[in-house]
Amino acid sequence: MIIIIGKTVKQSEINLRNLMEPIHSNIAGNVHGGEIMKLMDNAAGVVAARHSGRNVVTARVDKVEFHYPIHISNLVTFNAKLSFVGNSSMEVFVKVLVEDFAKEDSAKVAATAFFTMVALDENGKPAAVPPLEITNDEERRLFEEGRERYLNNKKK
Ligand SMILES: CC(C)(COP(=O)(O)OP(=O)(O)OC[C@H]1O[C@@H](n2cnc3c(N)ncnc32)[C@H](O)[C@@H]1OP(=O)(O)O)[C@@H](O)C(=O)NCCC(=O)NCCS
């Protein structure tokens, strides 16, 4: 008998924090959108690797939105958590929060996106991952939305 044990969203959720420096900026002085996407991808990769216990690759990015500019010396938090899990694929919701490093203002949501990561086995082939244990209504809502995107992508 094989017993499949699920894992919760909280078990792999992370908050990566970065102080934005001149090296991250574009010529207008804002932090480059591509730099932010790279850090979002990193955060999604950590979550997916923690959930699966495997190497992962990025297969897709959905609904990338930049809501608020990020400047040099901003403190940026990349909150990343699983929204949906398929067989070998995992969708990670990444929310980017921005604040002035020297002030205690409330952080603003600067960007959001959904990253689909795929777990790979030792031969570089997709590998099954643990199911996701849903523990509250917000997680259920994200899971249902993620499943819809997953099924729509399968049809294409
Ligand atoms: C992602 C990759 C491993 C999928 O390999 P594949 O042989 O096509 O695998 P499958 O068709 O069996 O799909 C495996 C899973 O990935 C998902 N998947 C594959 N391509 C996808 C895409 N474009 N969008 C969303 N999900 C995708 C499938 O839905 C499936 O999910 P499931 O197992 O949960 O049902 C392969 O396309 C790849 O290596 N891509 C390059 C990844 C990469 O280099 N990323 C950038 C650097 S990390």
Side-chain angles (χ1 to χ4, degrees), residues 84-102:
F84 172 78
V85 167
N87 299 310
S88 65
S89 67
M90 296 154 279
E91 187 188 70
V92 183
F93 176 51
V94 184
K95 183 161 67 176
V96 181
L97 298 160
V98 61
E99 59 196 302
D100 188 318
F101 82 103

Side-chain angles (χ1 to χ4, degrees), residues 5-154:
I5 300 171
K7 290 167 88 173
T8 63
V9 173
K10 286 276 173 237
Q11 277 178 271
S12 56
E13 180 174 359
I14 59 156
N15 284 295
L16 287 183
R17 305 195 93 187
N18 264 64
L19 189 61
M20 293 297 133
E21 299 179 49
I23 195 173
H24 300 122
S25 80
N26 61 23
I27 51 172
N30 287 3
V31 172
H32 209 287
E35 195 67 49
I36 295 300
M37 284 192 66
K38 179 184 160 203
L39 295 167
M40 292 170 87
D41 192 26
N42 279 351
V46 171
V47 168
R50 276 190 174 188
H51 183 78
S52 63
R54 292 185 177 275
N55 285 335
V56 298
V57 286
T58 310
R60 183 184 186 90
V61 187
D62 284 297
K63 292 184 74 176
V64 185
E65 290 184 66
F66 291 96
H67 310 282
Y68 199 82
I70 301 176
H71 301 288
I72 297 164
S73 89
N74 281 161
L75 186 59
V76 181
T77 304
F78 296 83
N79 171 253
K81 61 182 181 182
L82 283 167
S83 46
F84 172 78
V85 167
N87 299 310
S88 65
S89 67
M90 296 154 279
E91 187 188 70
V92 183
F93 176 51
V94 184
K95 183 161 67 176
V96 181
L97 298 160
V98 61
E99 59 196 302
D100 188 318
F101 82 103
K103 293 184 189 157
E104 288 190 43
D105 288 350
S106 56
K108 295 187 173 62
V109 177
T112 47
F114 293 87
F115 286 73
T116 299
M117 318 300 291
V118 178
L120 302 180
D121 67 15
E122 297 68 23
N123 301 311
K125 300 287 178 208
V129 302
L132 192 60
E133 272 183 32
I134 298 298
T135 62
N136 61 45
D137 288 346
E138 167 69 1
E139 289 173 8
R140 187 165 295 107
R141 184 184 64 76
L142 279 172
F143 190 89
E144 292 305 330
E145 288 174 15
R147 176 155 59 194
E148 217 165 288
R149 278 186 291 275
Y150 169 80
L151 294 174
N152 283 338
N153 292 333
K154 286 270 188 206

